[in-house]
């Protein structure tokens, strides 16, 4: 005669397997991003408010208007321009292609000077440049417009960037040159090579001037990280790109100098310098802007009137995305906040994850 096991034994066994499954097999649900506007202001006939708190200002450029606003949403300066303009968080200029004299203004709208020579102003943070007619030469200038030093070349400049202490330029013949901002000393010049047509299409320099990242060439176009020393630059990483781009493109060292974000046709690429590894993220738009906070990288893509903001949490993977319709747009960051401009509005976006 067979005896049946007590039902309590089955209950205990079932309970054990259930606990093991929960701890060993179950995975937590992925957290989702939520995007909530903290404030939204209109740039169409805005009410101008004085920067009474004397806080750092954030610049904007939308269509044919530019200006500055605070992190609280107060627009402190607004200017419409008919032709051309250049702006950074520190300075701006409004100019035309035929103007022989261009004035320089600070973020408060005060005239600080004017460029001595005719050309095209360009601002990167506190760095002031005047690109001279012909597209092969440029000057670094003071806020009064005085020329501090000038590079005179014969090859057209096709890529340009700078940090606090260094300026880097790429040329149509595939040459890269790095200058010391203090006096214009040419620290190094080299050609990455490796392609049939060698023009430099994107470039950036690390804040310490030790590394230069670039996209160069066409037909076997490639991304290169070069380590700069006093003797000869050393290529520490290179990658041939699957899809060539025919236009100037974005290359950006992240603030921690451990990653480089660069873009080509329908692809965000991230080179992790610590791991010496490249990561690739397919997208469906052309990246036109990049901004970052301490923990996140934001990229603005555009396809027709559809604008998409891609979020990377410095984990080498795409963490989130949201889209909106606009003819003109921008993204900015300050501290850990994201600011988005679209046509006639600017908004501060609160990003949470739960």
């Amino acid at each position: 005669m067979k005896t049946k096991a007590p039902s309590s034994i089955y209950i205990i066994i079932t309970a054990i397997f259930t606990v093991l499954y929960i701890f060993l097999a179950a995975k937590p649900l992925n957290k989702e991003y939520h995007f909530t506007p903290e404030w939204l202001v209109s740039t169409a006939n805005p009410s101008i408010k004085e920067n009474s708190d004397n806080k750092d200002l954030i610049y904007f450029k939308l269509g044919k208007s530019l200006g500055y606003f605070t992190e609280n949403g107060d627009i402190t300066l607004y200017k419409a321009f008919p032709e051309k303009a250049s702006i950074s968080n520190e300075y701006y200029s409004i100019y035309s292609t035929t103007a022989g004299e261009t004035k320089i203004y600070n973020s408060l709208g005060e005239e600080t000077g004017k460029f001595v020579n005719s050309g095209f102003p360009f601002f990167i943070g506190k760095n002031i440049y005047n690109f001279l007619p012909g597209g092969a030469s440029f000057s670094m200038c003071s806020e009064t417009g005085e020329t501090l030093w000038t590079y005179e070349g014969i090859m057209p400049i096709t890529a340009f960037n700078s940090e606090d202490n260094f300026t880097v330029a790429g040329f149509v013949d595939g040459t890269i040159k790095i200058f010391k901002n203090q006096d214009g000393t040419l620290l190094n010049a080299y050609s990455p090579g490796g392609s049939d047509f060698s023009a430099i299409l994107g470039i950036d320099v690390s804040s310490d001037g030790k590394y230069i990242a670039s996209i160069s060439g066409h037909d076997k176009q490639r991304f290169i990280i070069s380590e700069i020393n006093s003797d000869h630059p050393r290529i520490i990483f290179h990658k041939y790109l699957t899809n060539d781009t025919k236009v100037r493109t974005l290359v950006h060292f992240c603030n921690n100098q451990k990653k480089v974000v660069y873009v080509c046709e329908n692809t965000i690429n991230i080179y992790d310098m610590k791991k010496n590894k490249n990561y690739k993220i397919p997208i469906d738009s052309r990246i036109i802007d990049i901004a970052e906070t301490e923990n996140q990288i934001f990229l603005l893509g555009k396809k027709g009137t559809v604008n998409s903001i891609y979020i990377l949490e410095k984990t080498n993977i795409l963490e989130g995305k949201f889209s909106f319709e606009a003819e003109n747009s921008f993204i900015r960051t300050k501290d850990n906040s994201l600011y988005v401009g679209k046509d006639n509005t600017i908004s501060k976006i609160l990003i949470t994850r739960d």
Side-chain angles (χ1 to χ4, degrees), residues 173-295:
D173 66 347
T175 303
I176 290 174
K177 296 183 179 181
I178 182 170
F179 304 88
K180 188 176 180 181
N181 286 351
Q182 184 177 3
D183 55 12
T185 300
L186 179 62
L187 297 177
N188 224 311
Y190 67 101
S191 299
S195 304
D196 291 344
F197 180 65
S198 302
I200 309 300
L201 298 175
I203 200 166
D204 197 13
V205 57
S206 61
S207 58
D208 58 7
K210 188 176 181 180
Y211 299 100
I212 290 178
S214 64
I215 291 179
S216 60
H218 185 69
D219 191 10
K220 289 191 174 180
Q221 192 170 88
R222 64 177 182 163
F223 168 75
I224 293 174
I225 296 282
S226 302
E227 184 178 15
I228 307 302
N229 53 47
S230 58
D231 299 321
H232 188 73
R234 180 173 67 93
I235 295 177
I236 61 173
F237 179 83
H238 87 93
K239 176 180 174 59
Y240 287 108
L241 304 181
T242 305
N243 301 314
D244 284 9
T245 181
K246 299 178 182 179
V247 297
R248 291 178 183 174
T249 190
L250 184 149
V251 179
H252 176 74
F253 277 94
C254 294
N255 290 342
N256 57 19
Q257 306 297 321
K258 296 177 182 178
K259 300 179 191 295
V260 183
V261 176
Y262 63 101
V263 298
C264 52
E265 292 294 326
N266 298 321
T267 306
I268 299 171
N269 294 271
I270 307 165
Y271 172 63
D272 191 315
M273 297 185 69
K274 186 175 182 180
K275 298 179 180 179
N276 192 31
K277 189 174 180 180
N278 196 82
Y279 299 84
K280 187 175 179 180
I281 302 171
I283 57 173
D284 57 359
S285 60
R286 180 175 65 90
I287 299 299
I288 60 173
D289 206 355
I290 184 170
E292 64 175 307
T293 61
E294 183 178 352
N295 298 313

Side-chain angles (χ1 to χ4, degrees), residues 93-139:
S93 285
I94 295 173
Y95 63 99
S96 69
T97 55
T98 58
E101 179 182 287
T102 301
K103 295 179 180 180
I104 304 171
Y105 300 89
N106 62 22
S107 59
L108 300 178
E110 302 166 337
E111 182 181 336
T112 64
K114 59 186 177 182
F115 291 102
V116 175
N117 299 314
S118 60
F120 307 99
F122 186 62
F123 305 106
I124 302 179
K126 295 181 179 180
N127 296 339
I128 300 174
Y129 300 94
N130 189 23
F131 281 82
L132 305 180
S137 306
F138 67 91
S139 298

Side-chain angles (χ1 to χ4, degrees), residues 163-175:
E163 285 284 350
D164 290 342
N165 300 309
F166 305 96
T167 295
V168 62
F171 298 84
V172 71
D173 66 347
T175 303

Side-chain angles (χ1 to χ4, degrees), residues 30-60:
N30 291 330
K31 294 182 178 180
E32 294 185 352
Y33 278 97
H34 300 277
F35 309 97
T36 308
E38 283 196 20
W39 51 253
L40 185 147
V41 295
S42 173
T43 59
N45 299 316
S47 175
I48 307 302
K49 297 183 179 180
E50 183 180 352
N51 184 23
S52 57
D53 295 332
N54 198 29
K55 292 184 177 180
D56 293 337
L57 298 174
I58 307 165
Y59 76 93
F60 72 88

